[in-house]
RNA sequence: GGCGGCAUAGCCAAGUGGUAAGGCAGAGGUCUGCAAAACCUCUAUUCCUCAGUUCAAAUCUGAGUGCCGCCUCCA
């Protein structure tokens, strides 16, 4: 099956052609670690995690590199404000990143390189650029000479002429061209600094990605990803310095950028201050719900954030989880496992779901459309369970399919069905007794007591539902 | 000023030439002591406006309106 993805470089969907058959090498720009990451950052992480998982599902061996920018102006600034060593601050938020990432079901990258651990590699590249006339040093700073790189602007579709017309750049007299950008920055007293041929300093922002992607993936790797706002200047500059350094060899084969998360139709960003950190959101919403919400819109469309949307996402995810739970319950029942009619029907529904899912995902990772395949399979399963008290082989297949496809998007649909059932023996026994008591009350038509038990448990986060086969319960946070 | 994107039901959201997926909310029904969940039925003659191309347009073209992003650190 062919897989198409939108390449920012060519501005069109194109067939994915890996550098090496059966393998995918991708680099995703990670966070600058001076704070907890926010919902907008999370969108990027979740989107590329989904893309990675789908490649794995398709049978590719995926090498996924996501860096940490753990040294830059913002980190130094924040360190000063908090009275903390900038490098320690950077490390702190790297640790915090992993906590939130886990809640969002983000798979750890194959490699999570840190900028501060790749200074020698960066220095080597900067030196190479100077040697070939693409970089120049001025008083301890090193700049990249954009007008020496003919392709400058090819990713973002602008020319140096266009940008001159904009001219919102404050002119640094020492630069040869206003758009020249820093490869190396001279350290001010008290700032973290590394030795270099140009004196003490620290790397510019873009050079780290060049150094680390080349080190861990090599030239011409498959996918370079990030948020839309990175395409210019960050990725444009990366291309210039990397392809300049590689003497024109291609840096990355495909460039992918996700659209923004907005809030009140405005971009959520750290600079605007209109952001919610994932840490804050996790207080009220499980990470999976946030993830479900983020993948409910195609990654190249803007997505507006608000509480109502989050609630809708929660309901939707619960619907899929419920479906798995009901199937589990039905499969646990005694009885025939052979039901030709049902098996046939569910088997077909499973196949259709897989096909629809793959068709959606093959078309530039259309996770929003893929959701529909999951919902339709869930509905077929529910209908079957409703009509057939006897389990069927087909139901097991359908359930496995739903769980599997959910997993490709990063959802553990099976997990909620297991909470309380597997994890806590004592609770199970207590609940058995409680439900017996309530059952006796109901037999005596003591509705007041029955409702008192149900309402009381609900307050504690345990939901009871009555069925013809008896009451069931589940934990709901 | 330069470059780019978006506009589909009450809300979210797919759909890029063949007659409007899916979810949430809502209405009615089945089930239930009630509830919840689930199931069934219903809910856009129409896709920002106008004009054009076509047998056929939400989908293509042109003009307009509105919103957003990048051009400076940002995912």
């Amino acid at each position: 099956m062919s897989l198409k993805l939108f390449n920012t470089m060519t501005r069109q969907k194109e067939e994915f052609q890996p550098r090496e058959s059966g393998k995918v090498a991708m680099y995703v720009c990670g966070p600058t670690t001076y704070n907890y990451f926010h919902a907008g950052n999370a969108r990027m992480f979740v989107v590329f995690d989904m893309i990675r998982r789908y490649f794995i599902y398709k049978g590719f061996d995926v090498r996924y590199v996501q860096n940490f920018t753990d040294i830059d102006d913002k980190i130094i600034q924040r360190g000063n404000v908090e009275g903390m060593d900038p490098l320690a601050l950077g490390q702190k938020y790297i640790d915090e990143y992993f906590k939130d990432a886990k809640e969002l079901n983000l798979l750890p990258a194959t490699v999570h390189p840190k900028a501060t651990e790749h200074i020698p590699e960066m220095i080597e590249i900067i030196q190479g650029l100077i040697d070939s006339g693409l970089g120049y040093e001025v008083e301890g700073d090193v700049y990249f000479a954009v007008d020496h790189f003919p392709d400058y602007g090819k990713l973002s579709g602008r020319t140096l002429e266009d940008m001159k017309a904009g001219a919102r750049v404050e002119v640094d007299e020492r630069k040869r061209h206003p758009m020249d950008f820093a490869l190396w920055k001279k350290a001010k007293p008290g700032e973290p600094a590394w030795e270099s041929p140009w004196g003490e300093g620290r790397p510019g922002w873009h050079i780290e990605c060049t150094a680390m992607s080349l080190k861990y993936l090599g030239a011409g790797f498959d996918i370079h990803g990030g948020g839309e706002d990175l395409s210019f200047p960050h990725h444009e500059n990366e291309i210039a310095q990397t392809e300049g350094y590689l003497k024109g060899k291609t840096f990355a084969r495909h460039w992918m950028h996700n659209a923004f998360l907005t809030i009140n139709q405005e971009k959520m960003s750290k600079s605007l201050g209109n952001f919610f950190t994932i840490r804050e959101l996790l207080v009220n919403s499980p990470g999976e719900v946030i993830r479900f919400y983020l993948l409910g819109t195609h990654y190249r469309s803007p997505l507006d954030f608000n509480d109502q949307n989050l609630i809708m996402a929660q309901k939707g995810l619960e619907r899929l989880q419920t479906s798995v739970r009901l199937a589990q319950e039905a499969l646990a029942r005694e009885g025939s496992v052979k039901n030709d009619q049902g098996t046939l029907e569910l088997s077909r529904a499973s196949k259709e779901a897989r096909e629809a899912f793959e068709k959606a995902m093959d078309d530039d990772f259309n996770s929003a459309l893929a959701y529909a395949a999951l919902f339709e399979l869930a509905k077929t399963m529910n209908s079957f369970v409703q009509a057939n008290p006897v389990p069927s082989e087909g139901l097991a297949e359908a359930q496995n399919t739903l769980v599997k496809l959910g997993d490709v998007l990063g959802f553990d649909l099976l997990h909620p069905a297991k909470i309380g059932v597997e994890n806590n023996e004592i609770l199970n026994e207590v609940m058995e007794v409680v439900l017996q008591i309530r059952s006796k009350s109901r037999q005596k038509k003591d509705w007041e007591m029955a409702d008192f038990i149900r309402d009381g448990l609900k307050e504690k986060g345990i939901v009871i539902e009555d069925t013809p086969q008896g009451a069931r319960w589940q934990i709901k946070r």
Side-chain angles (χ1 to χ4, degrees):
Chain A
M1 270 315 252
S2 76
L3 193 162
K4 286 191 173 163
L5 53 80
F6 186 89
N7 186 354
T8 309
M9 185 69 83
T10 58
R11 287 159 204 266
Q12 56 191 10
K13 284 186 202 171
E14 41 189 63
E15 196 157 317
F16 174 67
Q17 303 270 16
R19 172 176 61 177
E20 202 177 331
S21 174
K23 294 190 175 181
V24 179
M26 54 195 294
Y27 186 93
V28 176
C29 287
T32 300
T33 54
Y34 66 99
N35 197 350
Y36 299 102
F37 65 83
H38 63 63
N41 301 319
R43 183 177 193 194
M44 192 213 87
F45 300 143
V46 166
V47 160
F48 285 98
D49 182 70
M50 172 272 290
I51 289 171
R52 173 195 192 178
R53 286 170 183 264
Y54 188 63
F55 274 122
I56 294 171
Y57 171 80
K58 296 277 279 186
F60 286 97
D61 179 10
V62 183
R63 187 166 169 80
Y64 189 96
V65 179
Q66 181 181 301
N67 68 294
F68 285 114
T69 302
D70 58 346
I71 179 64
D72 98 317
D73 295 356
K74 289 272 167 69
I75 296 176
I76 293 172
Q77 221 175 68
R78 180 75 181 244
N80 289 340
V81 170
E82 293 195 9
M84 197 168 168
D85 172 57
L87 298 181
L89 183 96
Q91 184 56 48
K92 174 187 165 189
Y93 286 110
I94 289 175
D95 296 339
E96 300 295 346
Y97 166 87
F98 284 109
K99 292 181 193 167
D100 293 334
K102 187 160 183 257
E103 295 298 317
L104 292 173
N105 285 353
L106 299 175
L107 297 171
T110 315
V111 188
H112 274 291
K114 298 172 195 169
T116 53
E117 292 175 359
H118 296 79
I119 306 290
E121 287 89 339
M122 297 186 220
I123 289 175
E124 192 185 324
I125 293 168
I126 296 169
Q127 188 61 57
L129 287 169
I130 292 176
D131 291 346
S132 56
L134 287 166
Y136 60 95
E137 191 232 322
V138 189
E139 299 164 14
D141 287 323
V142 181
Y143 293 100
F144 183 90
V146 291
D147 53 1
H148 284 49
F149 183 74
D151 277 345
Y152 194 77
K154 69 175 174 179
L155 178 68
S156 51
R158 31 188 125 199
T159 62
L160 286 171
E161 276 306 302
D162 292 340
M163 290 182 261
K164 218 178 275 175
R168 280 171 58 190
V169 196
E170 80 290 2
V171 182
D172 182 336
E173 296 297 332
R174 303 173 312 155
K175 289 193 203 173
R176 293 181 191 167
H177 183 108
M179 296 309 294
D180 286 354
F181 56 90
L183 295 168
W184 187 262
K185 293 180 172 183
K186 181 180 179 174
K188 299 191 186 86
E191 289 181 347
W194 287 263
E195 283 296 336
S196 84
W198 320 285
E200 297 235 312
R202 65 174 184 280
W205 175 33
H206 319 293
I207 197 70
E208 60 171 282
C209 290
T210 293
M212 295 187 280
S213 58
L214 289 183
K215 175 169 181 179
Y216 295 102
L217 299 172
F221 59 90
D222 297 303
I223 293 172
H224 194 132
E228 210 174 19
D229 54 353
L230 293 186
S231 69
F232 191 93
H234 184 53
H235 289 160
E236 195 70 71
N237 291 350
E238 276 185 50
I239 290 170
Q241 69 195 187
T242 308
E243 298 191 348
Y245 177 69
L246 296 172
K247 312 274 190 247
K249 258 200 273 180
T250 300
F251 179 29
R253 301 164 67 87
H254 305 275
W255 291 82
M256 296 182 73
H257 295 95
N258 63 280
F260 293 123
L261 193 68
T262 60
I263 182 156
N264 295 325
Q265 315 296 336
E266 212 175 38
K267 176 183 172 183
M268 178 183 286
S269 81
K270 289 180 183 172
S271 345
L272 291 174
N274 61 345
F275 63 90
F276 296 102
T277 64
I278 287 300
R279 192 60 61 88
E280 289 169 312
L281 294 177
L282 284 171
V283 173
N284 290 315
S285 307
E288 272 200 331
V289 168
I290 299 171
R291 184 177 177 110
F292 193 83
Y293 157 67
L294 292 174
L295 293 179
T297 298
H298 184 87
Y299 77 91
R300 283 190 292 112
S301 299
L303 172 56
D304 199 52
F305 180 88
N306 61 56
D307 290 342
Q308 195 205 352
N309 292 354
L310 212 47
I311 289 167
M312 293 196 310
Q314 174 149 9
K315 297 271 178 64
L317 179 60
E318 275 172 10
R319 182 173 172 76
L320 296 177
Q321 291 168 335
T322 299
S323 184
V324 171
R325 187 163 51 87
L326 294 178
Q328 288 263 298
E329 193 177 290
L331 288 167
R333 274 184 215 131
E334 298 283 319
S336 163
V337 288
K338 289 236 164 84
N339 181 325
D340 289 346
Q341 179 74 9
T343 294
L344 217 64
E345 194 182 307
L346 286 163
S347 211
R348 195 183 58 225
S350 302
K351 184 164 175 276
E352 281 170 2
R354 274 193 301 271
E355 286 171 358
F357 180 88
E358 288 178 21
K359 192 177 171 202
M361 295 295 282
D362 280 342
D363 185 13
D364 197 26
F365 308 97
N366 194 337
S367 54
L369 183 55
Y371 276 15
L374 301 191
F375 280 113
E376 285 185 3
L377 180 57
K379 173 164 272 189
T380 306
M381 285 163 57
N382 291 344
S383 298
F384 178 83
V385 170
Q386 176 103 349
N388 300 276
V390 182
S392 133
E393 281 176 346
L395 183 59
E397 184 194 345
Q399 191 229 222
N400 289 337
T401 301
L402 185 55
V403 170
K404 173 72 191 167
L405 298 181
D407 181 63
V408 175
L409 297 176
F411 305 111
D412 184 358
L413 299 179
L414 207 46
H415 184 63
K418 286 180 177 167
I419 293 180
V421 179
E422 281 188 352
N423 293 351
N424 195 329
E425 217 171 297
I426 293 174
L427 179 62
N428 282 325
E429 286 168 11
V430 171
M431 280 307 297
E432 206 172 305
V433 176
V434 170
L435 289 180
Q436 274 171 15
I437 294 170
R438 181 162 173 276
S439 174
K440 283 192 194 297
S441 306
R442 295 184 71 214
Q443 275 163 25
K444 283 187 276 183
K445 298 199 189 297
D446 182 357
W447 310 126
E448 202 182 321
M449 177 56 74
D451 291 348
F452 177 78
I453 292 171
R454 187 173 61 197
D455 296 344
L457 286 174
K458 189 174 182 187
E459 268 180 43
K460 304 297 176 201
I462 296 177
V463 176
I464 291 180
E465 294 169 2
D466 293 313
T467 77
Q469 286 81 29
R472 68 163 78 99
W473 64 278
Q474 63 167 317
I475 295 175
K476 214 168 185 177
R477 56 184 271 207

